[in-house]
Amino acid sequence: MRGIKLREFARQVGVSASLVSQIENGHVTPSVGTLFAFCTQLGLLVDDLFKGVERANGDIAPEGDAHSPTHRSRGPIQRSANRKRIRLAGGVRWERLTPDPDEQVEFIHVVYEVGAASCPEDSLVRHGGKEYACILSGQLGLQLRFETYELGPGDSLTFDSQNPHRFWCIGDEPAVAIWVIFNRSADDRNRGWSRVAKTSLSPAGRG
């Protein structure tokens, strides 16, 4: 729809054309970092991807425009069994906590399975918006620029998402959190350049 050729899109995002093709055809699941890069480059919100995806109860949500009145909920409540869910590469799962799409806020239940990470150790990601999260269970690692942190149940975090960052599960149980990303579409890079490449930093360790 954007009129971008596959190889040009891959170059802009900073991945291979074959990876874009495999994701497009459902043969490969993207990582968190790749998903954010795709959304930013295409001018999409993560909410735009919760269409025709698996619900938390295993059903498949209807296809169609999630912003259409025909797909709007009839109340303010999102039942846990009916959440829309996205499975990402490496054991990361997002479940939308709002009954309808919200253009300003992405409110999600996030699970990092044992060994899961948002991106490789040497390739941090950044995107528009500001992130807020509270850990419900397990241990979650955060690298924010050159600093590393470990978060446990009850710990919370907030930071500008345009700072290079990375998350990973610590230990032998999944890390579960409630996450909010506010105003993700406000990405300064969109005003000056189009490339949404992952930022390479040398990790300072995992806490």
Side-chain angles (χ1 to χ4, degrees):
M1 292 176 64
R2 296 290 190 275
I4 305 172
K5 293 184 177 180
L6 186 144
R7 290 188 180 278
E8 175 61 17
F9 178 74
R11 185 192 67 78
Q12 292 172 349
V13 175
V15 298
S16 68
S18 63
L19 177 62
V20 176
S21 178
Q22 289 175 320
I23 292 173
E24 183 179 31
N25 290 293
H27 299 311
V28 170
T29 304
S31 68
V32 175
T34 300
L35 183 72
F36 273 124
F38 278 30
C39 286
T40 301
Q41 191 64 36
L42 293 173
L44 299 173
L45 297 175
V46 172
D47 255 339
D48 294 321
L49 305 180
F50 284 92
K51 301 176 184 177
V53 297
E54 182 181 1
R55 294 189 187 277
N57 63 2
D59 295 337
I60 300 299
E63 296 285 353
D65 184 0
H67 297 272
S68 167
T70 60
H71 291 311
R72 291 283 183 178
S73 71
R74 296 184 179 180
I77 306 302
Q78 173 61 63
R79 301 297 180 185
S80 60
N82 294 323
R83 294 177 191 159
K84 290 187 177 181
R85 176 170 62 184
I86 295 177
R87 294 180 182 274
L88 298 168
V92 181
R93 186 173 75 249
W94 291 351
E95 294 180 7
R96 194 178 74 191
L97 295 177
T98 55
D100 298 313
D102 190 316
E103 294 183 356
Q104 298 298 317
V105 175
E106 291 166 355
F107 183 34
I108 50 180
H109 179 272
V110 176
V111 177
Y112 278 78
E113 299 291 350
V114 175
S118 60
C119 59
E121 290 188 44
D122 61 349
S123 189
L124 310 188
V125 298
R126 56 194 181 109
H127 51 85
K130 190 168 185 178
E131 299 193 33
Y132 305 82
C134 182
I135 311 304
L136 301 180
S137 62
Q139 302 283 325
L140 188 70
L142 163 64
Q143 182 177 346
L144 184 60
R145 299 185 68 85
F146 295 101
E147 300 296 326
T148 58
Y149 308 89
E150 292 187 6
L151 298 94
D155 292 340
S156 55
L157 62 87
T158 181
F159 63 91
D160 186 328
S161 305
Q162 295 198 62
N163 287 313
H165 58 278
R166 175 179 182 268
F167 295 101
W168 65 92
C169 178
I170 299 172
D172 57 2
E173 66 173 297
V176 182
I178 297 297
W179 223 279
V180 172
I181 305 175
F182 176 72
N183 199 25
R184 196 187 68 76
S185 60
D187 192 325
D188 289 342
R189 290 170 294 158
N190 291 337
R191 302 186 186 116
W193 58 298
S194 60
R195 183 173 173 81
V196 186
K198 295 184 283 291
T199 302
S200 295
L201 291 178
S202 297
R206 294 193 172 185

